[in-house]
Amino acid sequence: MEEQQSPFKAAIQPGLTIGLISLALTFIAYFIDATLLGSAWFGLIALVVFFGLIIYFGRQYRTEIGGFMTFGTAFNFSFIAILISGIIGLIGQILLFHVIDPSLPGVLGDLAFENSLKMMENFGASPDSLPPGQLEEMRANTTNQFTLKGQLTSFGIGIIIYAIIALILAAILKKRDKSLDY
C-alpha cells in the first residue's frame, strides 16, 4: 500500500508551478508593456489563472488521496501552495523592480496614483479639493509600495490574505465521504 503524501509535501510542486507561471505572466506583461503590471485587467486575469490552477491541483491531490479531503487538509494544501507561489512571486518582483528595471517602481507608482485620482473622480470627489500636502502623501504612499520595504510589508499583509483565500479554496476543494456518516 502506498503512503499518502501530507498536504504540505503535496503542495510544494503545485506551489512552485503556480509561482513560476505567475512569474512568467509578470515578465511577459513587463516585456509587452510595463504599464500592464498596474492594469486592473492584468490583475484580474492573473487572479483567475491563480484560482483555476489551485483548484486544478487541489482536485488532483484529492483524487490521489482517495477522492475525499477534509476541510483542514484542503486548507493546508491550498495555503502552503499559495505561500510558496507568493514567495516565488516576491523574489521575482524584487529582481524585476530592483535589478532588471529600477525605474519601474516610479512608473508603476505614478500609474497607481493616477488611477487613485480617477477612482476618486468616479466616486464624485474632486482631487483638486484636497490639500497639496495630502496629494503628495498619496503619491508617496503609492510609490512606496514598490520599494523593497513596501514589497516585504505587502507580502507580510499578503500572508493574511493568502489564509483567507485558502479558506475559500478549502471550502471548494473539500469532499466528505458520506459512506462514513452511519
Side-chain angles (χ1 to χ4, degrees):
M1 183 172 174
E2 285 185 38
E3 187 177 318
Q4 293 180 354
Q5 276 189 322
S6 73
F8 298 103
K9 286 183 182 177
I12 293 172
Q13 187 63 39
L16 291 171
T17 302
I18 294 166
L20 292 173
I21 289 171
S22 170
L23 202 56
L25 286 174
T26 300
F27 278 93
I28 288 169
Y30 169 73
F31 290 124
I32 292 172
D33 180 8
T35 60
L36 284 175
L37 296 174
S39 163
W41 287 106
F42 175 73
L44 185 62
I45 289 169
L47 193 62
V48 167
V49 169
F50 177 78
F51 267 95
L53 287 171
I54 288 284
I55 291 170
Y56 170 77
F57 286 121
R59 286 186 174 170
Q60 193 175 39
Y61 175 61
R62 185 176 67 194
T63 302
E64 288 173 15
I65 61 172
F68 302 103
M69 187 163 41
T70 65
F71 182 84
T73 301
F75 173 78
N76 289 337
F77 174 84
S78 299
F79 183 71
I80 297 301
I82 293 168
L83 188 64
I84 290 170
S85 171
I87 291 169
I88 291 171
L90 176 66
I91 291 168
Q93 287 181 0
I94 289 171
L95 286 172
L96 179 61
F97 293 161
H98 303 289
V99 177
I100 297 171
D101 189 353
S103 67
L104 186 59
V107 171
L108 293 178
D110 290 341
L111 182 63
F113 178 70
E114 290 170 18
N115 288 340
S116 296
L117 295 179
K118 286 178 188 173
M119 190 179 301
M120 284 176 63
E121 290 172 352
N122 289 340
F123 285 113
S126 173
D128 297 332
S129 66
L130 295 174
Q134 191 172 3
L135 284 174
E136 283 306 312
E137 184 179 336
M138 282 177 61
R139 180 183 295 277
N141 287 339
T142 56
T143 303
N144 287 340
Q145 294 177 53
F146 301 103
T147 64
L148 182 60
K149 181 182 175 190
Q151 288 178 295
L152 293 174
T153 302
S154 294
F155 181 74
I157 294 167
I159 291 174
I160 297 167
I161 296 168
Y162 294 164
I164 294 167
I165 292 171
L167 287 170
I168 294 166
L169 290 167
I172 294 169
L173 293 171
K174 72 175 171 72
K175 187 172 183 184
R176 190 170 56 103
D177 186 356
K178 293 180 182 171
S179 68
L180 300 176
D181 286 347
Y182 299 106

